[in-house]
Amino acid sequence: MSVLISFPRQVRIGPGAIKELGEVLRGLRLRRPMLVTDAFLVSTGLAARVVTLLGESDLTPAVFDRTVADPTTASLADGVAAVHAHQADCLIGLGGGSPMDSAKALAVLAHQGGPMRKFKAPNSYSGPALPVIAVPTTAGSGSEATQFTVISDSDTSEKMLCTGLSFLPVAAIVDFELTISMPPRLTADTGVDALTHAVEAYVSRKANPVSDSLALSAIRLIAGNLKRAYRDGSDAAAREAMMLASTQAGMAFSNSSVALVHGMSRPIGAHFQVAHGLSNAMLFPAVTQFSVSGAPKRYAECGRAFGVAGADTSDSVAAEVLVEALIELCAELEVPTPRSYGIDPHDWESLTPLMAQQAMASGSPANNPVVPTAQQIEAIYAGVYG
């Protein structure tokens, strides 16, 4: 059986790559971009800088800056209207995972109409959509290279995974200099998010040789550079490595899949407004501990790539050492538990059955080396609360 591998048509990687954005659009014969970003990047002046670059390339840009963290169906309504009003022929997603995911959703909704829920997994949409050019400003989501977007249903609080080639950007600008100002907390959360992407892509039941090579490369880069970037945000070499690792991990899981961590993470974000990378980090060590028995050799290779086990270490030991390393990593990066984050214990307990059902319904747990029952997911939620 063949494996379908899909990447953006072009990816520009390196310091100063943002300056080539206009050239990329002109090469794609696009003229009327809508810049999809957030209020923070407007306040920093980055959005204005991008608009200037586009104007210098004789393009006609407009800006939609009302994206929200963890985008919802309600937050997209004004965006669709803005795209139509500008008669945009493409969308530029500038920011972290949320603006890029918003741009992907708007690209489909502006062309096809809603509701967004008709595109959620297990459906896969590969029909007409506006082209998306992704410009990440964080090193974590990998959304610039994936055929996924995650949108919360405002009516049900379900965090929907929407998938298909129409959500895959046609181009990406990967410029690590855009991440230099990331604060330590965001650096940690997005970095662990990228590591989760890489490990889950490698142990997924849908893994393949192409995703394997990208995942292991990303794990090696993150192992040597996440703590450095966390301790010193001005460390350009560490920032560059983390940016590359994030894109590689995105390419890996886009062509493989994520698994149980992500299935359980999305409901936490939807119900408790926890940022996606942070909710992944809360779950990552415990879910890995639960899953290692299903693929000890795969987890062992992750441990070797992470640098905590050698070639002569047995698979069982290397897999267990990986779990210990993840626990230590999250402790050093000061990843909070749901309790220390401030989530009410009664709310957590009362919503656990629903979160478990939503995790199962997302389909991601079915890709896990150990496919859990809803009861097992509930037990993991209880264990990670803190």
Side-chain angles (χ1 to χ4, degrees):
M1 182 176 179
S2 65
V3 175
L4 176 63
I5 302 297
S6 302
F7 299 122
R9 194 179 303 175
Q10 58 175 298
V11 180
R12 304 267 180 127
I13 301 175
I18 187 66
K19 298 174 185 176
E20 301 171 16
L21 178 60
E23 178 186 337
V24 169
L25 266 68
R26 289 175 62 86
L28 294 169
R29 300 183 182 278
L30 300 170
R31 296 290 178 180
R32 298 185 63 83
M34 171 69 75
L35 182 65
V36 178
T37 189
D38 56 32
F40 173 74
L41 292 177
V42 170
S43 71
T44 66
L46 179 58
R49 177 186 171 198
V50 171
V51 168
T52 298
L53 288 170
L54 295 170
E56 290 172 350
S57 294
D58 294 325
L59 304 174
T60 306
V63 178
F64 177 74
D65 63 3
R66 297 193 295 280
T67 66
V68 299
D70 294 320
T72 66
T73 51
S75 74
L76 296 173
D78 289 344
V80 172
V83 173
H84 289 316
H86 182 56
Q87 297 182 320
D89 61 3
C90 64
L91 297 170
I92 300 171
L94 173 72
S98 294
M100 288 189 287
D101 277 7
S102 295
K104 292 178 178 184
L106 291 174
V108 171
L109 291 175
H111 204 292
Q112 293 299 303
M116 194 70 203
R117 68 177 64 93
K118 73 183 180 183
F119 302 108
K120 75 174 185 177
N123 295 325
S124 180
Y125 179 68
S126 299
L130 293 176
V132 173
I133 297 86
V135 185
T137 61
T138 64
S141 76
S143 186
E144 68 274 10
T146 75
Q147 52 187 306
F148 307 120
T149 189
V150 179
I151 306 294
S152 292
D153 190 318
S154 298
D155 295 327
T156 66
S157 294
E158 177 188 3
K159 210 165 188 179
M160 302 179 294
L161 174 65
C162 303
T163 181
L165 290 176
S166 298
F167 296 108
L168 180 68
V170 297
I173 301 291
V174 181
D175 185 342
F176 79 87
E177 292 182 339
L178 302 181
T179 71
I180 294 292
S181 62
M182 287 172 60
R185 180 75 268 145
L186 185 59
T187 298
D189 296 344
T190 55
V192 176
D193 190 21
L195 181 60
T196 308
H197 291 155
V199 171
E200 289 208 306
Y202 192 75
V203 303
S204 166
R205 291 170 178 262
K206 295 182 178 179
N208 58 74
V210 174
S211 62
D212 283 354
S213 61
L214 289 164
L216 291 176
S217 178
I219 292 169
R220 293 186 191 101
L221 285 171
I222 294 167
N225 293 281
L226 175 52
K227 292 179 184 179
R228 284 175 53 189
Y230 175 69
R231 296 182 190 124
D232 179 7
S234 65
D235 186 332
R239 289 294 197 191
E240 184 170 22
M242 287 302 300
M243 196 67 157
L244 177 58
S246 176
T247 298
Q248 288 180 330
M251 289 176 170
F253 85 81
S254 181
N255 289 287
S256 173
S257 69
V258 288
L260 181 55
V261 175
H262 279 72
M264 293 181 64
S265 174
R266 296 185 199 103
I268 295 175
H271 293 288
F272 299 107
Q273 291 73 57
V274 179
H276 174 70
L278 179 55
S279 57
N280 274 347
M282 290 174 172
L283 293 161
F284 194 19
V287 172
T288 303
Q289 178 96 64
F290 170 81
S291 306
V292 289
S293 63
K297 183 173 180 58
R298 287 252 148 188
Y299 281 107
E301 289 301 325
C302 292
R304 294 180 183 110
F306 200 66
V308 294
D312 57 348
T313 307
S314 69
D315 288 346
S316 60
V317 171
E320 286 302 325
V321 170
L322 173 67
V323 175
E324 295 171 7
L326 296 180
I327 294 171
E328 293 172 4
L329 175 67
C330 289
E332 185 167 342
L333 299 181
E334 299 181 278
V335 175
T337 64
R339 178 190 292 275
S340 65
Y341 186 75
I343 296 174
D344 181 80
H346 177 267
D347 292 344
W348 182 268
E349 184 177 356
S350 64
L351 282 168
T352 288
L354 175 59
M355 292 197 297
Q357 292 172 15
Q358 291 176 335
M360 293 286 285
S362 73
S364 297
N367 303 321
N368 206 56
V370 177
V371 178
T373 64
Q375 291 72 27
Q376 287 173 316
I377 291 178
E378 290 184 35
I380 296 172
Y381 277 135
V384 302
Y385 180 74

